[in-house]
Each structure stands twice: as C-alpha cells, then as structure tokens.
Amino acid sequence: PLDSFFADRLRAQATPVVLVANKCEGSAAQPGLIEAYRLGLGDPLPLSAEHGEGLGDLYDALAPRIDDAGSAPAPDDADLDADPDDDPARPLQLAIVGRPNVGKSTLINRLLGEDRLLTGPEAGITRDSIGVAWAHGGRPVRLVDTAGLRRRARVRDKLERLSSADTRRAIRFAEVVVVLIDAATPFDKQDLTIARQVIDEGRALIIGINKWDAVDDRAAAMAMARDRLRTSLPQVRGVPVVALSGLTGKGVDRLMPAVETAHAAWNRRIATAPLNRWLSRMTEHHPPPLAKGRRLKLRYMTQAKTRPPTFVVFASQPEALPDAYLRFLINGLRDDFQMPGVPLRLLVRKGKNPYAE
C-alpha cells in the first residue's frame, strides 16, 4: 500500500520515473516483480544492489535522461570560489550549527516567522540538514538547519554518525556559518571545536549566544564570552558575537546584519597596489627577522582569491619566515582592511630569480 501511495504522488508530477525492483537475486522474488506492474510506472527493472546484479540495466535506463538534463551542477555542489557577482540571484548559503538542544531549529523558525521546523525540549530531534528558502531585505537566503554535533567519542549510534557527517557537509557548502551556543553553558569545549571546524573550512563565522533571556548578569556574561574568544580563537580575532533569544525573538534582528557584514568581508577583494603599500609600511614598522645572518625580504604581495580572502607573499627565503611574523601580517590585514572575524589565508612563495641560470 505504501508503494501505491508514492506511485500516485509521482504520476502527478512531470519528472520522469524509473521503477526499480530490488532484492531480485533469486526466483522467490519473481511474484513481487510481477506485482510491481500494478503501480503503473512502466516496466520494473529487476536488480540486486547487494550482489551487483542488474546495475547495467539501471545505467542504460538513466543514461539518456542524464544526457537530456545536461551537466549543470546541483546548487549544493556549486563552485563556492566563483565570483558571486556572476549570478546576483544566487542565494546566500547560511548554516546554523551547534551542540544538540541549543535552539537551532527554534531560531530558524523565528527568522522565518512560522513554525516550519520541528522543535521540542528533547535533544536530537533534527537528524538531517534541512535547507529552507528565505528572503531577507529582498536578498534570497538559503537557511540550513543541522543536527547537533556532539564529541566524536560520545557518538556511537550509526544514525548519529550519519547526521554528524551531514552537518559537516553543510558547513563545507555554506558561505556564512552561525555557531549557536547555549547561554547557560557558554563556550563548552565542543563549541570551540565546532568553531574551529568552520574556520578550517574557510567559512565566515558568527557566534550566536542563544537563550539570552535566561541570563541574569548579561554584561559579565558578554565580557566573559569575548575574553574566551580572544584566547581560544585568535585566528579569527574580532569575530561577531550576537546575543539573542530564539524563543522570544529578542536580539534576533541583529543577526542578519552581522551575517551580511561578515559575508561582504568574506568576499572582499583588495587591489594589488594598496596591498603592496600596506606591506611596505608593515615591514618598515616591524622588519622580518634575520635568517642565516641576512634580513628576510618580502618583495611583493597580491590577493590570489576570495571566499575566504587568500593572499600570496613572495619572499627571499619563504621557509625561514616564522609563523609569528605571518600572524602579525594576518592580524594587520584584518585590522587595516576591515575584515574582522573572517578566516584569512596567507601563503608564502619564493619569487623567480632571473639570474639563476
């Protein structure tokens, strides 16, 4: 009966349907195969996924439809490094991630203005990443609700492992990620682990402190949160922190302006001329250290790509440039070109010597 229900739904659509009868590895499955004709979806393709039988017939049935559809990538697999100005109608990919039961689905329902996602006091209600089309200020946004991420040592259930993998995939394909934390237990070790995953993927990061209405001393709580960020996430100094309550809606109106600011910084491109003027000032103020008795020289700098902003510096001895000096340059870039909270990447290369031969 369930097969008939879905067949009725599919017949009402214009999308082509291929009917597959699985588990047909023995003669005992022949009556079920014949019964599949009653669904009215054409000849069923018998196969056995476990034993690999009949997959060639399935390929032959799918191949012409794939050719007709063309080779355009799906929205989830779009090239995130492409120029965002190429398609002004492209939605901003915004993912909400965090530990279980911090209020991710409740926050998205508040943004949408309707109870679109299932919520409740129990942890683990959301199992899959759920994308919801939305518009904010006339701009299309794709909100992605994700399953809560626990420490890997505590994840034993297979379904939860799949949910965690799905959440990490949502982070990978997002442009801006809001890491939502619980104001009652702020900046648990798992919160910082999730934030570092976002930074390692190179996505713009926003910290959202949910359930802010339950905090008594809010000034002290915010000061503690910012101090913890400075010490635990120095690689994204100045990351925006938004205190809000998804249940009451207080402070939620400050979230999207912070998201748009972070997204603009994440897409920022800096011309080569001002970059090299900036590099000259930085090296004059704080020269690179000595290496083998000679001063390291930073000859040239350019921005290789955006999303996230990635810069290349050509040096006389790239392998001798210490990490501390690279952090000094990254922090200077973040401060002088207004890119707070955005993960920056700085690559060091050795320029070609025209007299080497």
Side-chain angles (χ1 to χ4, degrees), residues 78-86 90 175 267 306-307:
D79 184 7
L80 291 178
D81 294 330
D83 189 350
D85 295 332
D86 290 345
R90 177 177 176 174
E175 298 174 351
N267 283 284
T306 61
R307 307 162 68 87

Side-chain angles (χ1 to χ4, degrees), residues 12 19 28 32 100 123 154 165-166 177 195 229 247 249 251 260 294 321 323 348:
L19 179 61
R154 296 183 179 178
D166 198 29
V177 178
L229 281 173
L247 187 62
E260 292 173 350
R294 302 181 63 180
L321 198 63
D323 292 338
V348 185

Side-chain angles (χ1 to χ4, degrees), residues 167-345:
T167 298
R168 294 186 179 93
R169 182 179 181 274
I171 293 174
R172 179 185 175 192
F173 287 106
E175 298 174 351
V176 182
V177 178
V178 176
V179 176
L180 202 63
I181 66 177
D182 193 332
T185 56
F187 290 106
D188 181 90
K189 183 179 179 182
Q190 180 64 5
D191 293 328
L192 298 173
T193 300
I194 296 171
R196 291 190 187 101
Q197 290 180 16
V198 176
I199 296 166
D200 292 342
E201 286 292 344
R203 305 300 168 230
L205 174 65
I206 304 288
I207 300 294
I209 305 180
N210 196 22
K211 307 179 184 179
W212 193 246
D213 53 323
V215 177
D216 296 327
D217 192 349
R218 297 178 180 177
M222 182 59 72
M224 185 275 291
R226 294 189 183 279
D227 182 68
R228 185 72 187 277
L229 281 173
R230 280 193 296 268
T231 56
S232 301
L233 296 175
Q235 61 270 48
V236 284
R237 193 173 70 185
V239 59
V241 179
V242 181
L244 52 88
S245 172
L247 187 62
T248 65
K250 187 173 182 180
V252 175
D253 57 333
R254 297 195 296 268
L255 180 62
M256 287 309 298
V259 167
E260 292 173 350
T261 301
H263 187 259
W266 190 63
N267 283 284
R268 183 162 299 155
R269 178 170 293 279
I270 305 170
T272 301
L275 263 181
N276 282 279
R277 288 195 294 268
W278 171 86
L279 180 63
S280 178
R281 291 196 304 270
M282 294 293 284
T283 53
E284 289 176 4
H285 174 69
H286 189 115
L290 297 175
K292 300 178 182 179
R294 302 181 63 180
R295 179 73 65 186
L296 291 174
K297 294 182 180 179
L298 304 183
R299 308 181 187 278
Y300 181 76
M301 184 176 186
T302 187
Q303 183 172 358
K305 61 185 285 290
T306 61
R307 307 162 68 87
T310 303
F311 303 90
V312 179
V313 175
F314 295 91
S316 57
Q317 301 180 55
E319 68 284 350
L321 198 63
D323 292 338
Y325 196 81
L326 291 178
R327 287 195 296 270
F328 164 73
L329 293 177
I330 289 175
N331 289 332
L333 278 170
R334 181 173 286 115
D335 294 340
D336 295 339
F337 292 102
Q338 290 78 47
M339 292 185 287
V342 177
L344 304 181
R345 293 173 178 171

Side-chain angles (χ1 to χ4, degrees), residues 3-4 7-8 11 19-21 24 29-46:
D3 294 333
S4 300
D8 292 340
R11 275 196 296 271
L19 179 61
V20 175
C24 286
Q30 194 67 22
L33 176 63
I34 296 174
E35 190 177 354
Y37 283 93
R38 295 175 54 189
L39 298 177
L41 296 176
D43 295 339
L45 294 177

